């Protein structure tokens, strides 16, 4: 074992030996060195920013046991599997283990056989476990998902409050607190609640440049919208978040009917079924998981290529955390939110039931912030960063629907038309409602007034007497809602001052209305067009399956058509990549672990780009550590050689 005072000179060799990397990500090295010096540290690194390495690498350097406190059972197993695959002695103790499985691990801890122990917070202060900790020579307590200790965070867990009592029992052991999402207020609360002693605090950028953010109007049949999105990505893994348990099951069933491998996940499922569904997703047996927010925070799967929200999240922190499941490996990822006023109404209804006034106000403020994000006409990345007190250094991120184009949706570039008359009707209706009632209404109510509906609200407020009542009967309510959201993006409408999702005409909107200014809108998609698009998507998917080279060319053409940025993309020989991915899955299945525990997509894309055919060349590949080189290098090199033998003139440029 390397002496701690010489650790700084040995960090890079250890990084390559055990993790396969030749350089640190931002702030990792500074956090590790502070920890090795015995200081308390606080690290806020975004999802995919390498938090785990900050306590895993020091555990290999310093004597004793590093105890990792985490609420996420799935993540414990995931990280232990990955560490063991790299030759590191690690284990976990949680409720998923039977007594017969726990005993040998406890004996190993007594014998000093492990460098890392993952444990849930509720186990910490059990008398027998505390006695064990005193025997096991603990050198660091790493508190992962540290935002769970704060009532101002998005996932407060009361059991986290007991962690601070470890200070009394282990006064000389340093603490490391880690999280991916925390506002300045939450960060201060974490430091206070954990009794951190003059901690060195590290806050990385929240920007995930490899992710694309989009918000799309939610239709009545959101399942059809999700199906079109998923079907256009036949080789990619994704998560679809739903608000209700029954929605996860009905959506998964709808996808299955169309030939998509999908399963539901929610807290109401039998524990064994829930664990099986999660495991099948992690091992790429299932391509799509339809889940409530009970799923995902602790999922270490790096090759999730998209996250879809089929309904409005409760708060921005939760949304950021959930979208962070996409593109953890740094490769491109997509984040799509379907938004409707009905989702807001549903969330508002449940929040109003909270008995505690302070808790109620916090939840409402968070919901309004989420609606602001969904309806914003500004850069979505800038909106997210601003929530976490960070400013985007430029005006256009080039990676969200508002910055790319208001015409580009998740379904491609849509046709525009002269929407001046439709815009005038809608703007006039917003103006007349405020003039008559003294308050604003949401897009759904506007659509009902324009289409001549006779609802309780319309009768209560007398909106059937408005001159704009029923002037839009030739269009559907969904079309008017879509137009309203587009006029918000174009700056003709904005959110009203009321503390719910209302609309009001902006000065620019009033000027456009008075001058009868020409306004271009996106043509709504009819049911017939949607069906035709779905058929075309299915035909395209079949064509893509014919030839790997054709698939790569089609993706290139699609990117050129939509001008979609692909930050983090690694171009490679797609045919070889598919062969390597199949090999990786076979090796992983034999060992009972997910494929990414052997090699992630990033490593295999480097292999399919560089064609390593010797041990030295393979060792230089990103993510290939010493243990994996010895264990798997030979078989991967052999596959690459065979591929080049069949394709002697193959080269990737």
């Amino acid at each position: 074992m390397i002496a701690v005072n010489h650790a700084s000179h040995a960090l890079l060799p250890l990084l390559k030996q055990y993790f396969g990397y030749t350089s640190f990500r931002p702030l990792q090295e500074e956090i590790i060195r502070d920890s090795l010096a015995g200081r308390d540290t606080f690290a806020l690194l975004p999802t995919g920013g390498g938090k785990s390495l900050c306590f895993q690498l020091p555990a290999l350097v310093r004597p004793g046991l590093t105890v990792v406190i985490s609420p996420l059972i799935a993540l414990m197993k995931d990280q232990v599997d990955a560490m063991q695959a790299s030759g590191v002695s690690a284990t976990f103790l949680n409720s998923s283990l039977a007594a017969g499985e726990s005993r040998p691990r406890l004996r190993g801890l007594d014998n000093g056989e492990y460098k890392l122990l993952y444990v849930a917070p509720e186990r910490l202060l059990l008398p027998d476990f505390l006695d064990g900790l005193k025997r096991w020579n603990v050198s660091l307590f790493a508190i992962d998902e540290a935002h769970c200790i704060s009532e101002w965070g998005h996932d407060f867990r009361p059991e986290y409050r007991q962690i601070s009592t470890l200070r009394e029992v282990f006064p000389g052991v340093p603490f490391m607190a880690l999280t991916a999402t925390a506002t300045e207020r939450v960060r201060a609360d974490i430091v206070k609640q954990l009794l951190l002693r003059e901690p060195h605090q590290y806050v990385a950028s929240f920007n995930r440049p490899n992710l694309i953010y989009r918000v799309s109007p939610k239709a009545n049949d959101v399942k059809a919208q999700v199906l079109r999105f998923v079907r256009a990505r036949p080789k990619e893994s994704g998560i679809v978040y739903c608000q209700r348990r029954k929605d996860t099951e009905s959506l998964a069933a709808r996808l299955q009917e169309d030939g998509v491998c999908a399963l539901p996940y929610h807290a109401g499922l039998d524990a064994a079924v829930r664990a099986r569904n999660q495991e099948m997703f992690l091992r790429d047996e299932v391509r799509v998981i339809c889940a409530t927010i009970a799923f995902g925070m602790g999922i270490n799967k790096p090759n999730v290529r998209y996250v879809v929200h089929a309904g409005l999240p409760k708060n921005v922190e939760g949304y950021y955390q959930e979208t962070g499941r996409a593109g953890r490996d740094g490769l491109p990822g997509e984040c799509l939110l379907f938004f409707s006023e009905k989702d807001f109404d549903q969330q508002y209804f449940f929040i109003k039931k909270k008995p505690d006034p302070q808790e109620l106000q916090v939840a409402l403020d968070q919901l309004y912030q989420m609606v602001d994000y969904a309806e914003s006409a500004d850069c979505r990345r800038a909106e997210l960063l601003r929530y976490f007190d960070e400013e985007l250094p430029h005006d256009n991120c080039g990676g969200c629907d508002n910055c790319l184009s208001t015409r580009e949706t998740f379904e491609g570039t849509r046709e525009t038309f002269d929407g001046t008359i439709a815009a005038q009707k809608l703007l006039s209706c917003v103006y007349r409602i405020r003039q008559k009632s003294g308050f604003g209404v949401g897009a759904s109510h506007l659509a009902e007034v324009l289409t001549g509906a006779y609802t309780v609200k319309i009768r209560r407020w007398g909106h059937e007497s408005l001159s704009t009542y029923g002037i839009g009967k030739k269009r559907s309510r969904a079309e008017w809602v879509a137009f309203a959201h587009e006029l918000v993006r174009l700056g003709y409408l904005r959110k009203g001052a009321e503390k719910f999702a209302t609309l009001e005409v902006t000065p620019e909107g009033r000027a456009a209305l008075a001058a009868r200014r020409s306004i271009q809108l996106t043509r709504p998609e009819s049911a017939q067009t949607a069906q035709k698009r779905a058929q075309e998507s299915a035909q395209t998917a079949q064509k893509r399956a014919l030839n790997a080279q054709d698939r790569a060319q089609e993706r290139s053409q699609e990117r050129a058509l939509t001008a979609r940025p692909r930050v983090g993309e690694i171009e490679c020989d797609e045919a070889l990549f598919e062969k390597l991915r199949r090999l990786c899955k076979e090796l992983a299945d034999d060992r009972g672990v997910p494929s990414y525990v052997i090699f992630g997509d990033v490593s295999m894309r480097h292999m399919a780009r560089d064609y390593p055919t010797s041990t030295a060349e393979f060792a230089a590949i990103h993510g290939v550590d010493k243990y994996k080189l010895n264990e798997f290098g030979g078989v991967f090199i052999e596959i690459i050689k065979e591929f080049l033998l069949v394709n002697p003139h193959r080269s990737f440029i």
Side-chain angles (χ1 to χ4, degrees), residues 20 77 117 146 178 204 232 258 322 350 401 403 421 459 618 642:
K77 183 180 185 305
L117 167 66
L178 308 103
D258 201 70
E322 289 150 20
F350 287 114
D401 51 358
C403 288
I421 294 177
R459 295 195 300 273
F618 195 83
E642 288 178 4

Side-chain angles (χ1 to χ4, degrees), residues 324 392 437 463 532 614:
L392 192 70
S437 307
H463 290 167
K532 181 180 178 182
S614 69

